[in-house]
């Protein structure tokens, strides 16, 4: 029975890694779409979100199978329980990249407008790295890496505030000519901040899977 459980736990790690990679792809596509105002690129995010939703169902089914057939205890049970919580956060990350896509596709975002997006790109890269590291921490049961992800959330929060200030300053100089585009970018920044929050949640569940204790940072 132990060998069967170990195989399923390894499969769980593989599937979680794949789901995390899909989240990274979606965030990266969103970043490119924002930077270039590329509606076609944004439309591809919808497919990534659908793939993330599909993987959530597959992983949930695997976890339920393990709970019913293997009846894991102690640390094994925590790993399965944490995985069920993690996929919820990853599914929401997919939703938020899809929300960003909707903004880029909207009429307000069409055409070349010189609204600053460099710091948004930095924010997206930081959030994507948090997602990658949080899943890696689970796979390797690396508590130090999970805590590094939790600390990185402060960096994304700081970038969010910087983005807001930058866009407000732009609005003041622009006299509101491109106000709707600037407000859209504030929303994009908020979605990226939420993605980082979900990565933090994942890291907290990783810590729980290792220690049995979950310290909520958000």
């Amino acid at each position: 029975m132990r060998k069967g459980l170990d195989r399923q736990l390894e499969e769980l790690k593989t599937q979680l890694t794949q789901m995390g990679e899909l989240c990274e792809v979606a965030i990266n596509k969103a970043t490119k779409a924002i930077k270039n105002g590329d509606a076609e690129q944004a439309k591809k995010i919808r497919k990534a979100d659908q793939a993330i939703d599909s993987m959530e169902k597959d992983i949930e089914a695997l976890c339920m199978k393990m709970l019913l057939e293997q009846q894991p205890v102690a640390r094994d049970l925590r790993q399965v329980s944490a995985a069920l919580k993690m996929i919820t956060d990853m599914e929401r990350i997919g939703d938020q990249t899809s929300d960003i896509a909707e903004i880029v596709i909207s009429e307000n975002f069409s055409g070349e407008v010189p609204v600053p997006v460099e710091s948004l790109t930095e924010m997206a890269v930081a959030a994507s790295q948090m997602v990658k590291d949080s899943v890696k921490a689970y796979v390797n049961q690396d508590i130090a890496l999970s805590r590094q992800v939790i600390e990185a959330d402060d960096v994304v929060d700081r970038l969010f505030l910087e983005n807001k200030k930058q866009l407000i300053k732009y609005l003041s100089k622009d006299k509101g000519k491109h106000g709707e585009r600037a407000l859209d970018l504030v929303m994009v920044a908020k979605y990226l901040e939420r993605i980082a929050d979900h990565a933090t949640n994942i890291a907290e569940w990783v810590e729980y899977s290792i220690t049995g204790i979950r310290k909520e940072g958000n």
Side-chain angles (χ1 to χ4, degrees):
M1 183 171 284
R2 181 71 225 183
K3 286 183 179 179
L5 178 58
D6 286 341
R7 280 196 302 271
Q8 288 179 320
L9 285 170
E10 285 303 311
E11 176 60 22
L12 177 59
K13 290 177 181 179
T14 298
Q15 290 193 23
L16 281 169
T17 300
Q18 291 170 351
M19 190 173 180
E21 288 170 351
L22 285 171
C23 288
E24 291 173 55
V25 167
I27 297 168
N28 292 339
K29 287 185 183 299
T31 306
K32 290 177 182 177
I34 296 161
K35 189 173 182 180
N36 303 321
D38 188 343
E40 290 305 312
Q41 184 73 27
K43 289 174 184 176
K44 294 177 183 177
I45 297 169
R46 291 172 175 169
K47 290 184 179 179
D49 185 29
Q50 290 169 358
I52 290 167
D53 290 345
S54 178
M55 284 225 68
E56 180 191 25
K57 293 174 185 175
D58 290 344
I59 293 171
E60 185 176 26
L62 175 60
C63 287
M64 295 310 296
K65 183 177 180 182
M66 292 169 70
L67 290 172
L68 292 171
E69 293 182 359
Q70 304 291 351
Q71 298 180 337
V73 295
R75 184 163 177 168
D76 295 331
L77 179 59
R78 292 200 304 269
Q79 286 191 55
V80 176
S81 300
L84 284 168
K85 296 292 187 180
M86 289 165 62
I87 58 174
T88 299
D89 279 297
M90 284 195 273
E91 187 274 333
R92 289 175 182 166
I93 288 170
D95 288 346
Q96 276 145 12
T97 59
S98 189
D99 289 335
I100 292 171
E102 291 301 321
I103 289 174
V104 177
I105 292 166
S106 71
E107 289 182 7
N108 291 341
F109 221 88
S110 60
E112 290 293 327
V113 180
V115 179
V117 295
E118 291 80 7
S119 52
L120 271 178
T121 301
E122 184 181 356
M123 194 176 177
V125 169
S128 180
Q129 188 65 45
M130 286 177 68
V131 173
K132 181 177 182 177
D133 287 344
S134 63
V135 176
K136 184 178 179 181
Y138 176 87
V139 170
N140 296 331
Q141 291 290 277
D142 186 340
I143 195 166
L145 184 56
S146 70
R147 289 174 178 170
Q148 185 178 311
V149 172
I150 293 167
E151 290 172 3
D153 190 42
D154 291 338
V155 175
V156 176
D157 288 343
R158 176 180 54 77
L159 287 169
F160 172 68
L161 292 175
E162 287 177 6
N163 268 292
K164 279 208 305 184
K165 288 178 183 177
Q166 187 178 25
L167 289 166
I168 289 168
K169 186 177 179 181
Y170 173 83
L171 276 171
S172 177
K173 287 183 178 180
D174 189 55
K175 306 298 183 184
K177 290 178 185 176
H178 303 114
E180 289 184 345
R181 171 74 72 94
L183 289 173
D184 280 345
L185 289 174
V186 171
M187 284 303 302
V188 168
K190 188 63 183 174
Y191 286 133
L192 290 171
E193 183 199 32
R194 287 177 184 169
I195 287 170
D197 287 343
H198 287 304
T200 300
N201 288 342
I202 293 169
E204 287 167 356
W205 284 114
V206 172
E207 188 164 342
Y208 165 77
S209 75
I210 298 169
T211 67
I213 300 169
R214 183 171 183 257
K215 299 176 183 178
E216 296 188 19
N218 295 315

